[in-house]
Amino acid sequence: MGARNVTRTIIVETPSKPGNLGKVTTAIGLFGGDIGEIKTRQIGPYSTVRDITVQCESEEQLETAIAAVEQLGEGIHVRAVSDDVLHAHEGGKIHMSSRFDIRSIDDLRKVYTPGVANVCRAIEEDPSLAQYYTSIGNTVAIITDGTAILGLGNIGPLAGMPVMEGKAALFDRLAGISGIPILLDTSDPDEVVATVKRISKGFGGILLEDIGSPHCFEIEERLIKDLDIPVMHDDQHGTAVVTLAAVMSACRSAGVNLKEAVVGQIGLGAAGLAICRMFMAYGVKEMVGVDRQPAALDRLAMYGGTPARSLEEIMEKCDIVIATTGVPNLIKPEWIKKGQVILALSNPKPEIEPDEAIKAGALFAADGRSVNNVLGFPGIFRGALNAGAKRITHDMLVAAATAISNHTKPGQLVPHPLDLRAHQIVAEAVEMAVMKEESSK
């Protein structure tokens, strides 16, 4: 199980003199605290009060960081510590609401009995009308078995519900899609596939979320084969899309020809293998991967990649190295080859810190904080639903990655995850890719 991240808002009062905020942030950083948003609550003639969001790996680390701030003295003290994350989740983050205002008996007769019977009979005669007269065509099931929840591991589907609600909220906010969390109390591929197939009539698409490896591969492949609606495992393909977009931007910045480069992938779990497949679909000629599990190497070879014998071989051979192992400090600075592009994507601690990689000779380096798969799945499904696609293909995913990269401003790796225009552009690119595929048949 990965480290349990603890996020709190520390309310700090400092004298209204330059440099005091820097003392506070330095004290927090020295003890491993990762500072997020800083909001000024109050500015007075003598003191300033700020909310500082801090993420730590444990409660103990957080307490140490807070104590360090208190020990600064000189009028600096912590007023309070607030758990804003828990407060934000009270009552859940999503809510089903009606699109039709029901205020009269006439309204009631239209949306329910007796009027609704006419709509039911129309759909019975022509099932395709369900896409027009119901919400099915704009609804995606968000399905998990709870076996790979973020960095927490196998904590079960119920404990994973806040993540599924978050996905649903993002679907709504970024793409106007209704996402419905479905918690499955089984990890058996036969049972998962059978259950999803039985409920699939009520959805326009299926997003598989936080399902562990290796059973995630079988589940997704079988559902894609058996259903005639889009199915995507976000941990695989959503991550791969944004990673490809990030590497395209990095290569553009560094003057590297991605398709001609040798790309190495360290870690061939759900995300790692999907990244390899995505890069090969994009046109990378040589994709090399390494993993401790022989079965993972076999899967890479099955898809056309080249298994490496060791981590050192990857570092020696590859122009671009991507790591998704979850192992902090796995990559040694002395292994970095001059001019390499390094993306160490594990959170909260990367396989190598970007500044260490640059110092060791890397041309470009970034960590997982710069690559957020929120940029992928909303627009991918919006485009697929708009186009009436029956499945999500690698051509559609490459189109999405290209759209993200092309929308990235100079100096950025990818756009801001809440950039609404970025999600619109992804949807348009996916829709165009579907139309192109249809016209070529």
Side-chain angles (χ1 to χ4, degrees):
M1 181 180 291
R4 181 179 180 182
N5 292 339
V6 177
T7 302
R8 297 288 186 272
T9 298
I10 304 174
I11 304 169
V12 182
E13 183 175 5
T14 63
S16 295
K17 295 180 181 178
N20 282 311
L21 176 60
K23 292 178 183 178
V24 172
T25 56
T26 298
I28 294 169
L30 285 173
F31 288 91
D34 188 8
I35 295 173
E37 190 172 18
I38 299 177
K39 288 184 178 179
T40 301
R41 278 193 171 202
Q42 177 184 331
I43 299 177
Y46 304 108
S47 67
T48 301
V49 180
R50 295 182 177 89
D51 292 350
I52 302 175
T53 303
V54 179
Q55 184 180 80
C56 294
E57 292 183 9
S58 66
E59 293 280 0
E60 293 76 15
Q61 188 184 56
L62 176 70
E63 290 170 4
T64 302
I66 292 170
V69 174
E70 289 282 17
Q71 290 169 10
L72 291 172
E74 301 179 0
I76 298 172
H77 69 275
V78 176
R79 279 190 171 188
V81 179
S82 172
D83 192 341
D84 291 346
V85 173
L86 276 180
H87 292 325
H89 285 251
E90 290 175 1
K93 302 186 291 295
I94 57 176
H95 171 72
M96 180 74 76
S97 62
S98 172
R99 295 178 64 242
F100 192 91
D101 196 13
I102 306 171
R103 293 183 177 273
S104 67
I105 293 297
D106 185 54
D107 292 337
L108 179 61
R109 290 168 65 86
K110 288 178 181 176
V111 302
Y112 197 52
T113 186
V116 73
N118 293 333
V119 185
C120 294
R121 291 199 178 279
I123 295 172
E124 180 186 24
E125 293 174 5
D126 182 0
S128 68
L129 292 178
Q131 295 290 316
Y132 186 76
Y133 289 122
T134 76
S135 62
I136 289 173
N138 195 51
T139 304
V140 173
I142 306 169
I143 293 173
T144 189
D145 66 350
T147 53
I149 302 294
L150 297 180
L152 302 174
N154 186 358
I155 61 173
L158 188 61
M161 182 60 169
V163 179
M164 305 310 121
E165 286 191 348
K167 288 284 187 179
L170 291 166
F171 259 138
D172 176 59
R173 175 73 179 85
L174 302 174
I177 293 171
S178 297
I180 309 296
I182 305 290
L183 309 182
L184 299 184
D185 193 20
T186 179
S187 296
D188 179 83
D190 291 337
E191 293 182 353
V192 171
V193 170
T195 302
V196 175
K197 287 171 66 175
R198 288 190 179 106
I199 66 171
S200 63
K201 289 293 184 184
F203 301 98
I206 304 292
L207 180 71
L208 302 174
E209 182 68 29
D210 290 346
I211 297 176
S213 173
H215 64 288
C216 63
F217 301 116
E218 179 184 349
I219 289 169
E220 185 192 42
E221 288 170 3
R222 288 173 60 180
L223 287 173
I224 289 173
K225 179 182 177 182
D226 293 348
L227 297 179
D228 60 356
I229 57 175
V231 176
M232 188 180 85
H233 184 202
D234 192 42
D235 305 86
Q236 293 186 61
H237 309 298
T239 301
V241 163
V242 183
T243 301
L244 175 57
V247 173
M248 290 168 71
S249 298
C251 288
R252 185 165 58 240
S253 174
V256 175
N257 185 336
L258 175 55
K259 291 184 178 180
E260 297 297 327
V262 180
V263 181
Q265 169 64 40
I266 303 173
L268 297 172
L273 185 64
I275 288 169
C276 291
R277 296 177 65 189
M278 185 69 63
F279 276 65
M280 289 186 286
Y282 174 70
V284 169
K285 293 181 179 178
E286 187 170 3
M287 188 78 214
V288 186
V290 69
D291 195 280
R292 292 177 299 177
Q293 301 295 327
L297 296 173
D298 292 340
R299 280 193 292 272
L300 175 63
M302 180 180 69
Y303 288 119
T306 303
R309 293 184 298 273
S310 67
L311 176 58
E312 291 86 347
E313 180 185 345
I314 290 275
M315 299 304 300
E316 174 63 31
K317 182 177 183 179
C318 297
D319 307 304
I320 299 167
V321 176
I322 304 160
T324 56
T325 65
V327 181
N329 305 314
L330 177 66
I331 299 174
K332 307 300 181 186
E334 56 267 27
W335 294 345
I336 299 292
K337 190 171 63 173
K338 185 175 177 61
Q340 277 181 321
V341 173
I342 306 290
L343 271 74
L345 301 182
S346 293
N347 285 315
K349 296 292 184 181
E351 288 79 2
I352 185 170
E353 295 290 345
D355 56 348
E356 285 188 20
I358 294 292
K359 186 177 179 181
L363 182 62
F364 185 95
D367 59 22
R369 290 175 296 182
S370 306
V371 181
N372 193 323
N373 66 359
V374 170
L375 275 167
F377 73 88
I380 291 169
F381 270 92
R382 179 74 280 160
L385 294 177
N386 286 352
K390 295 185 181 299
R391 57 183 42 84
I392 292 171
T393 67
H394 272 103
D395 285 346
M396 294 160 64
L397 297 175
V398 168
T402 303
I404 293 170
S405 179
N406 289 343
H407 188 65
T408 301
K409 297 176 182 177
Q412 292 182 331
L413 200 59
V414 291
H416 191 283
L418 300 183
D419 180 347
L420 291 179
R421 181 58 185 151
H423 294 280
Q424 293 168 0
I425 288 172
V426 171
E428 291 166 3
V430 170
E431 194 169 354
M432 288 295 293
V434 175
M435 294 171 61
K436 185 176 180 181
E437 289 179 359
E438 291 296 325
S439 64
S440 65
K441 290 181 180 178

